[in-house]
Each structure stands twice: as structure tokens, then as C-alpha cells.
Amino acid sequence: KKEEQEEEIKIVQIPEIVTVRELAELLRVPPNVVMAELLKKGVLATINQTVPSEVALQVAEALGFLAEIKKQEEETLEEEIPDHWEKLPRPPIVVVMGHVDHGKTTLLDTIRKTNVAEREKGGITQHIGASVVQLPDGRKITFLDTPGHEAFTSLRARGAQITDIAVLVVAADDGVMPQTVEAINHARAFNVPIIVAVNKIDKPGADPQRVRRELSELGLIPEEWGGDTIFVDVSAKTGQNVEALLEYILLLAEILELKARVEGPAKGTVIESKLDKQRGPVATLIVQEGTLKVGDPVVAGTSYGRIRAMFDDKGRKLNSAGPSTPVEVLGFEELPMAGDTFIVVEDEKKARQIAEIRKQKKEQQEKLSRGLMLEDVFKKIEEGELNELRLILKTDTIGSLEALKKALTELSTPEVSVRILHGAVGGITENDVMLAKASQAIIIGFNTRPDLKAKETAEREKVDIKLYSIIYEAIEDVKNALRGLLKPVQKEVVLGSAEVRATFKIKGVGTVAGCYVLDGKIVRNANARLIRDGVVIYTGKIESLKRFKEDVQEVAKGFECGVKLKDYNDVKVGDIIECYEVKLEKPSL
């Protein structure tokens, strides 16, 4: 009798992610029985819908089972790939960077055209975010089409690093420009070797030696001067030396010994995705390991699917694609994100389960996640999580930039080094915020402000922006953060900002700014600052605020108003007036 009782106890393990059909199979009952039980619990679900694991547990118990949830780990995927496959040389993946109008696009077009002319007349290159160039001897190079630094920041912010080599395009008649410096800093932040293409050498006034001089000051010393950076003088327009540039890229690739396994399930990165009216979700993938085939079940981030069709950069249908090959694929259930890693799994069921687990994890992380805050630095140092404090500096003048750079770098301790990832003059932009997010850095602004887009992105991505108007305060804060001595901080709460659209000189009053409120609200007697081209020109108070001719206490977003700044009349059209209040807050350690 005791044995019979033991047999009656039915034990079942329920996966974290389970559909109605799978639950019915586990419990050995028809699906409609499970649906009826779910209805009792107030859950209306179709046969292929997933059931929350707690509800599935209750259903199993109601049907007489002793149930428990089986934790599923999606990260065991990597271990399943045996390492006995041989690694073979693969084509390099290259990104072209540089300042606006220095010829990045022309260079890419020239490289592609010479390539197309040699092999197939009239072959139209599809814009899929990357293209493959084949040299006459059969060797290949993959070029990413994404604008230079975005290829790093947006993808890298999601943990992907796919670029092997960066080609920095600098115009010989123009020299080093702000975006050139930005491109170098972005490439260095991710340890990507740089080849310099000195472009427009056919133009009058071209001075390739000047480019070498300016770049050597930034640490890119030409090989012919005893350095280790390859410089190639090219003309993207006439095609001069473009083939030599390709040879140098392949030479550097050989030195880097880029290898990948060709056999086995594919793994790689999503570089673009879009929703096509006719074809549904379309994603561009770069295969980094293994071979991707039509029919493969894949997971990318929180989306999954089966590869229904695959096309190359010329729009031709493919059945398989090996390492360093960019392909456009159809078959994802929803759009994967650029920068997501994709991996091939054994079947679609596993792909769906992994995607669902990741979705749940992502939701939990989003509740907790934020970027690195200056207040948390000491805690992270103590926990051994941080050995390098990365900073991005934006200042109003070159002088203050150099002074801050020097002073902050000298704060390095044996435990933690302070590294300036990027320093430039001007307002804080969205690009700065994305670089900070990607590299877990903190942005320090000295007499500069973030623009509206940068502010929104920083709030969304939880990136810490610290703004200062006194150099020693910035230095003290970083020093104290490293020692864990941050005192209660005066935290600025921005109330709103308005754009100056007209100015009126009124006798006995001074200059009144006719403004349109862009964001938040403008409040009378609040602290205010005047910002011109991202740089703070004036700090004081709002003396008077009018709407039409009436004195008002505050004016909201979308309305116009007249603003008079206390003791200041040099207001110009296009300036931004920002009003704020100061609160004392404890640092969140």
C-alpha cells in the first residue's frame, strides 16, 4: 500500500519559459485542460502562448503534481561549441572614419567601383550596412558603412566589438579637424589599430607633410619617421594609391593574425536592422565565427527566428556565409538591435526560450541599471570592479581643456588610473554620451552644457554628466571620488530652457529677450544661465518675466515670453536661457 502511495506522487520540473502546449505535454493532459485551469486563474492564453512560470506551477499543482521550476541558463550556449575546429585566416573588418567632407564616402565609393568594374559590369551595391571588396588575387576586405564613430559607439555600447582596423581619412588641404581628433579617441578607446589615408593629394594647396606633423602631435607617428602608424597618400577622386591602401590594410591584417573557425554553428553581430513593408524584419549580420546557413535557428539579444533567406551586399541570394561576411537576413520574429550578438542554436524552441529568458533578465536589469556615477567610484574601487576611471572632458576653451587634462591625469593612484578618453572644446553632444555609455565613462563639462538631445540620451542611458564652472571643484570632486570622500553635493535641478528669438532694447530697463520655451518652464527669480553655442556666457538670475504685457511667475513649454536677465544686456538671437534651482543632496554611495 505504501508503494502505491509513492507512485501517486507525480513530480514534474517546469522550465522557466513554457508554452501552453509544452505544459500540457509535460503534465500528460490535453491542452484544453490546461487552458481551463488557466482561465480559473484569470489567464486567457492560446496554445502557443508562453505561461508565466509561477502560474504554470499553480496549474501543475492543481492537477495533482508536485512541481518545481527548473532554472534555465541561456549562457551555457557558448560551452556547447567544441574547440576542436581549426581556426583559419579571415578577411579584416574595416571602418572608415574622419571629419565631415574629408572624403570618407568618396573613398568607399571608389574602392567599391574599381572592384565592381573588375568583376561584374553594372553590379549594384545594396546598402546593407557593410560591403565586401575582393582584390584580383581573391583576398577580401569587409568595410562597414556606418558613419565612423557610430560604428564604435552604438555597437560598442551594446558590448559588441567587430572592427579590426580603422582607416582615418584626413584631407591634405585641411589637416586635423575636431572630428579627426574625436575619431582617433574613439578608435583608441576600443584599442583598434589605425591606418591614416591622407586624402585629396591632387588638390592645389595639399600638404601631406602637414597632416603627418599634426597627427604625430596626437601620438600617431608615421612609420617613415620611426613610428608605427601606416600613412598612405591617396586621392579618392582619381583613385590614385587606393590599391596601395588596400594592400596596407591586408598587410596589417596579416600582422594582426585575424583567424576564425569556419566549421560549426555561426556566431556574430547584428550591425543594422529595419522593418521592411514587404519582407518584415530585415537584419544585417556579420558572421564572426562558423558558417551561417539558410534554415538555421538563431537568437540575437531578445529576438529569435529561423533564417528564411540570406542576401549578400550585391543583393544576390546565398545559402551559406562564413567568417567576416556581411549578410542581410529575413526570418526574425521581431527586430534585433544593432550590436546584439547572434548565435545559432539547435532548434527554434531553444531559440525562443533563450530569447524569453533574456527578455525577463533585461526587464529586471533595466529597473536596476545605470551608468557609472561619480559617487559610486570609490565603492567600485573597493569591490575591485574598477581599476581605471574613464573621463570625457568638454570645456569652453583649449586652455581650460589642457589644464583639466593635466590635473585630472595626475590624480591617478596605484589602484586606479584616471584616463581621459576624449577631450574637446564645445558643448556636450549625444556622441559624447554614447561614448560614455559604451566605455562606462563619466562626462565632465567645464563652462559647457549638454544640448537637449544629449541631456535626454544621458537620462535614458543613465550616463553621469558633471558640470563645473570652477576648475579646482572638478579636480576636488574626482580626487574625493577616488578616495571615497564625496561630501553632500549641491545638485542642480534644471527647471527649463528657452531659445532667444528676438531682442528688444527698452529705455531705462535694458535688453529684454523675446523667448520661446523649449523645455520645462521658465520661472521668475530663478537662477539662470545664458548659453551660446554650448558655452556658458552668463550666470545670474531671471529679473523679470512677462507674458504679453503681464508680469507672470512662470511660463511653460511651448509658450513665448519676455525675459530680462539681472545685470546683463548682451543677449543675442539663438542664445539659450536655462533656469535651474540648487538642492543639497547626499552622494548615493
Side-chain angles (χ1 to χ4, degrees):
K1 199 162 189 182
K2 194 180 174 188
E3 278 175 18
E4 278 173 28
Q5 269 181 337
E6 275 183 10
E7 273 175 29
E8 280 169 20
I9 298 171
K10 296 176 284 185
I11 297 173
V12 68
Q13 281 194 324
I14 297 169
E16 269 185 294
I17 309 296
V18 66
T19 63
V20 172
R21 176 183 274 126
E22 288 159 3
L23 186 59
E25 283 169 10
L26 272 174
L27 305 177
R28 297 195 188 88
V29 293
N32 55 355
V33 174
V34 172
M35 286 178 183
E37 284 298 327
L38 285 170
L39 269 177
K40 286 180 197 170
K41 311 229 170 329
V43 179
L44 183 65
T46 61
I47 196 160
N48 290 320
Q49 239 169 314
T50 50
V51 183
S53 48
E54 302 78 33
V55 180
L57 204 63
Q58 291 165 12
V59 169
E61 282 164 0
L63 294 171
F65 284 83
L66 195 65
E68 65 171 8
I69 292 169
K70 184 172 81 181
K71 284 273 181 202
Q72 278 172 296
E73 276 305 319
E74 43 110 356
E75 302 310 342
T76 51
L77 274 175
E78 305 290 323
E79 294 154 28
E80 290 173 14
I81 296 172
D83 56 3
H84 62 260
W85 280 307
E86 186 192 356
K87 293 204 165 198
L88 300 169
R90 63 171 177 81
I93 299 169
V94 179
V95 66
V96 178
M97 307 173 83
H99 193 74
V100 180
D101 291 337
H102 276 203
K104 298 189 296 284
T105 313
T106 318
L107 181 63
L108 269 172
D109 287 348
T110 307
I111 289 169
R112 285 203 208 102
K113 272 179 202 147
T114 50
N115 188 246
V116 167
E118 275 168 18
R119 285 187 299 124
E120 43 183 294
K121 293 266 187 291
I124 296 168
T125 302
Q126 297 285 101
H127 279 284
I128 70 166
S131 48
V132 177
V133 166
Q134 187 166 345
L135 274 72
D137 59 7
R139 292 178 299 166
K140 293 178 181 176
I141 303 171
T142 299
F143 283 94
L144 290 184
D145 293 352
T146 41
H149 41 261
E150 283 175 31
F152 288 118
T153 45
S154 57
L155 297 182
R156 178 65 200 202
R158 309 186 55 77
Q161 175 146 354
I162 51 175
T163 325
D164 301 312
I165 297 168
V167 171
L168 179 67
V169 180
V170 188
D173 61 337
D174 215 0
V176 171
M177 300 300 266
Q179 273 172 291
T180 316
V181 180
E182 196 173 298
I184 294 169
N185 290 336
H186 280 247
R188 278 196 183 138
F190 308 123
N191 297 320
V192 175
I194 297 172
I195 290 180
V196 180
V198 182
N199 190 23
K200 304 190 182 183
I201 53 164
D202 54 319
K203 281 186 82 169
D207 185 355
Q209 290 308 310
R210 171 188 160 201
V211 173
R212 283 168 172 73
R213 280 195 305 278
E214 289 176 349
L215 284 176
S216 61
E217 282 167 21
L218 296 169
L220 292 180
I221 299 163
E223 279 187 328
E224 61 259 40
W225 294 5
D228 53 8
T229 306
I230 299 169
F231 276 69
V232 189
D233 295 341
V234 299
S235 165
K237 205 170 178 182
T238 64
Q240 185 185 343
N241 279 355
V242 169
E243 282 184 16
L245 175 66
L246 299 181
E247 283 296 333
Y248 276 116
I249 291 172
L250 288 165
L251 180 71
L252 184 54
E254 266 177 52
I255 296 166
L256 294 172
E257 290 187 347
L258 306 171
K259 289 185 174 181
R261 60 173 175 79
V262 179
E263 294 175 76
K267 184 184 160 201
T269 303
V270 179
I271 54 169
E272 269 189 14
S273 64
K274 58 181 184 223
L275 206 54
D276 189 297
K277 280 180 186 167
Q278 276 84 35
R279 305 185 292 170
V282 178
T284 301
L285 314 177
I286 277 207
V287 183
Q288 287 170 284
E289 297 273 342
T291 300
L292 186 65
K293 303 183 194 73
V294 171
D296 278 348
V298 289
V299 190
T302 57
S303 41
Y304 72 97
R306 181 182 287 279
I307 307 282
R308 290 205 316 271
M310 195 156 59
F311 305 91
D312 70 4
D313 56 322
K314 309 284 184 297
R316 298 174 298 208
K317 263 196 164 185
L318 295 178
N319 286 322
S320 65
S324 298
T325 310
V327 285
E328 196 173 61
V329 300
L330 311 180
F332 277 102
E333 295 292 317
E334 53 191 66
L335 277 183
M337 299 278 283
D340 279 343
T341 299
F342 78 83
I343 188 154
V344 171
V345 292
E346 59 258 35
D347 56 43
E348 218 167 330
K349 178 182 165 186
K350 183 158 187 181
R352 192 195 68 242
Q353 286 180 338
I354 292 164
E356 291 279 354
I357 291 170
R358 284 180 180 176
K359 240 179 221 165
Q360 287 179 5
K361 276 190 185 169
K362 190 179 173 191
E363 279 164 17
Q364 288 164 1
Q365 276 170 353
E366 273 174 1
K367 286 174 191 165
L368 304 168
S369 86
R370 59 175 186 165
L372 177 67
M373 300 287 159
L374 197 56
E375 292 80 17
D376 300 340
V377 165
F378 184 68
K379 191 172 159 194
K380 287 204 183 296
I381 296 168
E382 279 196 316
E383 289 167 1
E385 285 179 35
L386 194 73
N387 55 15
E388 183 176 71
L389 175 59
R390 298 176 186 148
L391 301 174
I392 290 167
L393 302 183
K394 294 306 279 277
T395 65
D396 54 349
T397 65
I398 283 277
S400 44
L401 176 66
E402 293 308 319
L404 258 178
K405 257 189 189 174
K406 187 172 182 298
L408 290 172
T409 320
E410 284 170 1
L411 294 178
S412 296
T413 67
E415 293 80 34
V416 184
S417 61
V418 176
R419 180 177 170 202
I420 312 295
L421 279 190
H422 176 55
V425 171
I428 295 163
T429 64
E430 192 184 15
N431 255 337
D432 298 324
V433 176
M434 288 310 286
L435 177 61
K437 161 85 175 161
S439 48
Q440 281 280 295
I442 290 166
I443 298 174
I444 289 182
F446 178 72
N447 274 341
T448 57
R449 315 290 305 158
D451 59 33
L452 205 58
K453 213 164 178 191
K455 205 181 290 176
E456 283 168 8
T457 311
E459 277 166 24
R460 189 178 65 245
E461 301 289 357
K462 312 279 193 302
V463 166
D464 195 13
I465 299 179
K466 294 280 180 198
L467 303 169
Y468 300 93
S469 52
I470 300 169
I471 279 194
Y472 86 84
E473 280 183 5
I475 296 160
E476 278 300 298
D477 269 9
V478 174
K479 190 193 287 178
N480 290 337
L482 293 173
R483 293 186 191 154
L485 299 172
L486 274 188
K487 294 185 171 59
V489 284
Q490 284 193 333
K491 186 161 169 73
E492 261 183 30
V493 179
V494 175
L495 301 172
S497 58
E499 184 184 4
V500 178
R501 299 214 166 156
T503 57
F504 309 97
K505 286 191 169 59
I506 296 168
K507 205 173 177 186
V509 176
T511 305
V512 172
C515 301
Y516 175 80
V517 184
L518 301 170
D519 191 37
K521 60 186 179 182
I522 299 296
V523 181
R524 191 173 65 192
N525 292 331
N527 295 320
R529 59 170 70 87
L530 185 77
I531 300 155
R532 190 170 297 157
D533 300 326
V535 174
V536 180
I537 304 290
Y538 157 89
T539 305
K541 279 200 172 329
I542 290 179
E543 190 171 36
S544 73
L545 183 65
K546 288 189 188 298
R547 176 122 176 81
F548 300 113
K549 291 189 177 173
E550 299 293 311
D551 274 314
V552 284
Q553 192 55 44
E554 58 182 54
V555 178
K557 177 181 176 179
F559 291 98
E560 291 175 337
C561 58
V563 175
K564 170 73 183 79
L565 295 173
K566 195 172 188 320
D567 304 327
Y568 189 78
N569 291 313
D570 186 24
V571 184
K572 291 188 166 54
V573 174
D575 288 352
I576 301 288
I577 293 174
E578 189 175 77
C579 76
Y580 62 96
E581 59 186 15
V582 177
K583 287 181 175 175
L584 262 182
E585 263 191 20
K586 279 187 180 173
S588 52
L589 281 172

